[in-house]
Amino acid sequence: MSEQESLRCSSARNRGGVQRVEGKLRASVEKGDYYEAHQMYRTLFFRYMSQGKHAEARELMYNGALLFFSYNQQNSAADLSMLVLEVLEKSETKVEDEILECLANLFSQMDQNSPERVAFVSRALKWSTGGSGKLGHPKLHQLLAVTLWKEQNYSESRYHFLHSSDGEGCAHMLVEYSASRGFRSEVDMFVAQAVLQFLCLKNKNSASVVFSTYTEKHPSIERGPPFVQPLLNFIWFLLLAVDGGKLTVFTVLCEQYQPSLKRDPMYNEYLDRIGQLFFGVPPKQSPSYGGLLGNLLNSLMGSGEEDDGTEEPPEDSPIELD
């Protein structure tokens, strides 16, 4: 028997063993012996890990978590979900779309208000970038954003969309968010904030996509450009200016639209950052705000940016993307 055939036979035997074990555990859960089944899952987890059977351990914990979720055993399910992450961390498993989808599936079934869910997503995002301190894999952010959107948790969904590459999905979510939670007079502000924040993350493509899709799909926005709302015209011109990279155009644009930019005190902070990233504007020597707003500026910026060849700005001008 060749080495390859031997490996296939070994894998088949291992899979058969996992299936037999899962059958017994499922029977215990179906009888309502939740505690006993949970402890058995944990025992098998540590046994498999000690034997280096990482794939089997991950599969068993994932299926076990789904089983407990189906019986509304949230604590046991969340515990096994964390063990799935432990396998991924200790086995140094490479990031693949299939694994990210499994993690997002576990996240979607957790109690929306549970502290375990917060811990799970934080740890999953950290694993997805190899523990590098960055903000998480864009694909995982996108999957989380869609789940939160379905739950109508628009604020958290927006955060994850910002760290994904799905500008179109973000735009559709923002249209729904604006229509259901916002005032008609604020339709322009929903997309303006998203565009400015995407640009702060050096994601020009998603910034353009979210703007074009939102302005096209929103029922309260007349087709443009130009637009009825001055703020939308500013964003349109800004996206053109970013492509051109001319500081004089950027400066005049910001001066001309100051009345619109004063509608949100954070706009000029975002524009300071955008000026540094795309127009060579030197960073401010000291923060322009103190107190609570100054604290908000201590943020995620800088740790989650992908290297796209753009010169990194100094780290003394972070911006909160909440």
Side-chain angles (χ1 to χ4, degrees), residues 121-132:
V121 73
S122 175
R123 193 168 166 184
L125 287 168
K126 184 176 181 180
W127 167 79
S128 73
T129 48
S132 65

Side-chain angles (χ1 to χ4, degrees), residues 222-233:
E222 295 182 18
R223 184 65 61 90
F227 299 95
V228 173
Q229 298 89 345
L231 183 59
L232 294 182
N233 288 323

Side-chain angles (χ1 to χ4, degrees), residues 260-307:
S260 293
L261 297 178
K262 288 179 180 179
R263 293 171 65 191
D264 186 329
M266 287 303 299
Y267 287 166
N268 283 316
E269 288 296 318
Y270 296 140
L271 290 167
D272 285 343
R273 178 74 169 189
I274 291 165
Q276 295 168 37
L277 291 172
F278 298 103
F279 300 98
V281 176
K284 292 182 177 181
Q285 296 303 309
S286 60
S288 57
Y289 296 104
L292 179 59
L293 186 54
N295 292 334
L296 287 175
L297 302 182
N298 297 319
S299 75
L300 310 171
M301 290 300 302
S303 61
E305 298 166 348
E306 296 297 328
D307 185 7

Side-chain angles (χ1 to χ4, degrees), residues 82 85-86 88-90 92-95 100 103 117-138 140-141 144 159-160 303-304 306:
M82 297 300 282
L85 289 175
E86 187 170 329
L88 295 174
E89 293 163 349
K90 292 186 175 179
E92 299 182 353
T93 303
K94 292 183 179 179
V95 176
L100 296 179
L103 296 179
R117 196 188 209 200
V118 176
F120 177 83
V121 73
S122 175
R123 193 168 166 184
L125 287 168
K126 184 176 181 180
W127 167 79
S128 73
T129 48
S132 65
K134 291 190 176 183
L135 293 177
H137 195 284
L140 182 55
H141 275 296
L144 296 172
Y159 168 83
H160 289 289
S303 61
E306 296 297 328

Side-chain angles (χ1 to χ4, degrees), residues 11-27 41 44 48 56 59-60 63:
S11 177
R13 285 195 300 271
N14 289 337
R15 176 63 189 138
V18 171
Q19 287 179 329
R20 286 193 295 273
V21 169
E22 285 184 330
K24 294 179 180 179
L25 291 169
R26 180 177 291 276
Y41 271 110
L44 289 168
Y48 281 156
E56 291 84 353
E59 180 181 358
L60 186 64
N63 290 335

Side-chain angles (χ1 to χ4, degrees), residues 204 237-251 253 274-281:
K204 289 193 294 183
F237 284 127
L238 175 64
L239 290 169
L240 295 175
V242 164
D243 286 334
K246 293 184 179 180
L247 178 57
T248 52
V249 175
F250 174 70
T251 302
L253 187 59
I274 291 165
Q276 295 168 37
L277 291 172
F278 298 103
F279 300 98
V281 176

